[in-house]
Amino acid sequence: MFTAFLIKYAEIGVKGKNRYLFEEALVKQIKNALKRCEGRFEVTRTPGRIYVEALSEFDYDETVDNLKTVFGISGICPVVHVEDEGFEKLGQDIVKYMDNVYPEKNFTFKVQARRSRKNYPLNSMELNVELGGVILDAFPELKVDVHNPDVLLNVEIREKIYIYSETIPGPGGMPIGSNGKAMLLLSGGIDSPVAGYMIAKRGVKIDAVYFHAPPYTSDRAKQKVIDLAKQVSRYTGPIYLHVINFTDIQLYIYEKCPHDELTIIMRRYMMKIAEHIAKETECLGLITGESIGQVASQTVQSLAVTNEVCTLPVFRPLIGFDKMEIVDVSEKIGTYETSILPYEDCCTIFVAKHPVTKPNLNIIKRHEQNLNEKIEELMQTALDTDEVIVVNYEG
Ligand code: ATP
Ligand code: MG
């Protein structure tokens, strides 16, 4: 029945040149999402609205599901197209539409007609009244409510006539590519995929880095991170995933530094390396899944010590979230099931029984001096052996 979708987006704060960029980016992301769907589509833009029109048979559910992954879309309205064959035929089409879409006739409605073609014989007001009458004749159980209708039936007179009344909620946010790029530190846990999703939702393109520590972390752990990146890329588009071999750095820190400071020092080196790759790949910030107080390395003191190595801004969208709130999002975006698979991530192997929870920056820096002999060389080797995997969700 439906042959097109009207795409709604929130324009607040998006004006002038920014609005143009926003719409351009949104159209591009819609086209990308539609590539994953069966059928051919045309995406057209007129000021303030975007239409997706099917040019062939298509799978309605699949198409809606994919449009729901496009940040920037606030609502998806399925549209019925009819040819303009006079008012009487339009009345019949409208009655058929109401009957199909609302099998239960126990609601109030209002017709909202719009003419973008002024040569139509009735004006908008007349259309509202006349079509309202036709509907009431067909379904006397219905009532009109012009102030607060249950169903707002939109009828747009263009070349063809567009009829729609339902709005399926979109993900909101801003289209990818409208807000620069950032580097996500992606582990196999629950938090970092959610953090990446949340920053991407603000229009930020995402690349990712994973610190792998073979043989302490298995190939399955690496595959798990690739799978998570793939799930996140459903929303973000292709992700360049950098896999950094972190084993020698980790072992060196283990050998030279107090074990209760191992995690915090390790995290500082992860951030340093991630920032290095970020700067080489035009990323303007880093993203982590940290949340205050979740573990010893995420106390306010620990976060401050970790942060100290970075010059780029570090985005921590989960900073004030409880675990349950993070789990809710991960279930919603489909990463939870993968995240809870039991493979070791590189931090769990070396964790001390009693890690410092209030690290002192000066003491940490002093202990890092123990690494002077080899750390630069080890970091360089890690960067030189960066394995880049292009990850993309293909449906
Ligand atoms: P997550 O659920 O995201 O793994 P976590 O609760 O396990 O988080 P930590 O292990 O302390 O927390 O890690 C904090 C953040 O550091 C992660 O959210 C992630 O952004 C980053 N991180 C941790 N380990 C790695 C890793 N092996 N590779 C890349 N990033 C990592
Ligand atoms: Mg983790």
Side-chain angles (χ1 to χ4, degrees):
M1 174 169 81
F2 296 110
T3 48
F5 299 92
L6 168 65
I7 303 298
K8 289 187 174 165
Y9 53 91
E11 295 161 66
I12 302 160
V14 185
K15 300 215 178 77
K17 180 162 172 267
N18 283 338
R19 168 153 160 191
Y20 176 78
L21 293 173
F22 181 101
E23 290 180 350
E24 285 272 285
L26 185 53
V27 167
K28 184 171 164 209
Q29 296 308 323
I30 289 172
K31 286 182 178 167
N32 283 343
L34 292 171
K35 280 186 201 146
R36 302 194 292 249
C37 304
E38 248 175 79
R40 284 183 305 117
F41 300 89
E42 186 177 50
V43 183
T44 51
R45 179 158 60 107
T46 59
R49 42 191 46 204
I50 292 172
Y51 279 102
V52 172
E53 235 166 295
L55 303 176
S56 67
E57 292 283 302
F58 70 105
D59 181 330
Y60 175 84
D61 292 331
E62 179 193 54
T63 306
V64 170
D65 278 350
N66 278 289
L67 288 173
K68 278 182 176 171
T69 66
V70 180
F71 294 133
I73 295 182
S74 62
I76 303 159
C77 308
V79 176
V80 169
H81 269 151
V82 297
E83 298 292 336
D84 176 13
E85 291 163 340
F87 180 78
E88 196 174 328
K89 172 69 175 17
L90 176 59
Q92 291 163 5
D93 289 331
I94 294 282
V95 167
K96 198 159 94 196
Y97 176 95
M98 293 300 268
D99 210 17
N100 283 336
V101 179
Y102 304 103
E104 307 252 355
K105 307 289 185 300
N106 56 355
F107 54 87
T108 61
F109 74 98
K110 170 184 171 179
V111 179
Q112 185 166 64
R114 217 170 296 142
R115 288 189 309 177
S116 63
R117 169 155 76 73
K118 299 298 172 198
N119 64 357
Y120 196 79
L122 300 175
N123 69 27
S124 312
M125 284 300 285
E126 291 163 344
L127 276 165
N128 291 343
V129 173
E130 295 298 322
L131 290 173
V134 171
I135 293 170
L136 287 173
D137 287 345
F139 310 112
E141 325 75 294
L142 298 185
K143 282 200 190 70
V144 171
D145 181 344
V146 291
H147 299 297
N148 197 11
D150 299 324
V151 171
L152 181 64
L153 179 68
N154 290 279
V155 179
E156 285 189 29
I157 313 283
R158 303 166 158 256
E159 266 323 292
K160 290 183 180 176
I161 298 175
Y162 294 57
I163 308 167
Y164 61 92
S165 58
E166 299 273 86
T167 304
I168 302 160
M174 306 184 80
I176 299 285
S178 60
N179 247 325
K181 186 165 78 164
M183 179 66 70
L184 169 65
L185 282 85
L186 182 62
S187 68
I190 294 170
D191 306 330
S192 42
V194 172
Y197 169 90
M198 287 182 63
I199 294 300
K201 189 173 170 190
R202 301 312 302 163
V204 180
K205 191 163 170 38
I206 301 283
D207 281 344
V209 54
Y210 165 57
F211 296 94
H212 188 40
Y216 302 98
T217 55
S218 64
D219 274 348
R220 288 194 306 179
K222 175 175 160 188
Q223 187 58 45
K224 177 180 167 183
V225 172
I226 297 171
D227 292 343
L228 285 170
K230 198 168 276 186
Q231 280 146 7
V232 174
S233 75
R234 180 153 197 234
Y235 302 90
T236 63
I239 294 177
Y240 285 75
L241 173 65
H242 299 259
V243 179
I244 293 289
N245 188 323
F246 202 56
T247 311
D248 290 343
I249 294 175
Q250 220 167 352
L251 289 172
Y252 190 50
I253 301 172
Y254 193 69
E255 183 193 326
K256 298 284 185 188
C257 299
H259 289 180
D260 62 347
E261 291 170 2
L262 182 75
T263 305
I264 195 87
I265 293 175
M266 232 172 56
R267 303 229 6 95
R268 281 164 59 88
Y269 280 97
M270 280 188 188
M271 297 297 265
K272 263 189 211 178
I273 293 172
E275 179 167 274
H276 189 96
I277 305 170
K279 285 179 172 167
E280 282 189 340
T281 54
E282 290 167 0
C283 290
L284 301 172
L286 301 175
I287 306 165
T288 76
E290 290 161 311
S291 155
I292 292 175
Q294 203 188 72
V295 288
S297 59
Q298 297 176 27
T299 62
V300 171
Q301 293 83 352
S302 298
L303 288 168
V305 170
T306 309
N307 204 68
E308 193 264 349
V309 298
C310 297
T311 56
L312 287 179
V314 182
F315 305 136
R316 300 180 171 91
L318 310 182
I319 200 73
F321 276 38
D322 289 339
K323 196 73 185 187
M324 274 317 297
E325 296 171 297
I326 302 171
V327 166
D328 282 351
V329 183
S330 77
E331 285 178 332
K332 195 185 81 184
I333 66 174
T335 52
Y336 183 73
E337 293 299 321
T338 307
S339 287
I340 60 173
L341 293 172
Y343 317 129
E344 298 286 359
D345 76 28
C346 75
C347 308
T348 52
I349 305 277
F350 293 90
V351 278
K353 278 212 182 65
H354 300 288
V356 283
T357 54
K358 292 192 179 112
N360 174 300
L361 181 59
N362 292 327
I363 297 175
I364 296 288
K365 280 184 157 172
R366 197 179 329 130
H367 290 152
E368 282 179 351
Q369 304 274 317
N370 301 349
L371 304 170
N372 282 350
E373 194 188 329
K374 269 174 41 183
I375 195 70
E376 286 302 325
E377 181 196 326
L378 291 177
M379 289 216 296
Q380 193 55 52
T381 306
L383 287 166
D384 291 344
T385 56
D386 178 4
E387 179 194 3
V388 184
I389 303 172
V390 185
V391 179
N392 197 12
Y393 184 87
E394 270 148 17

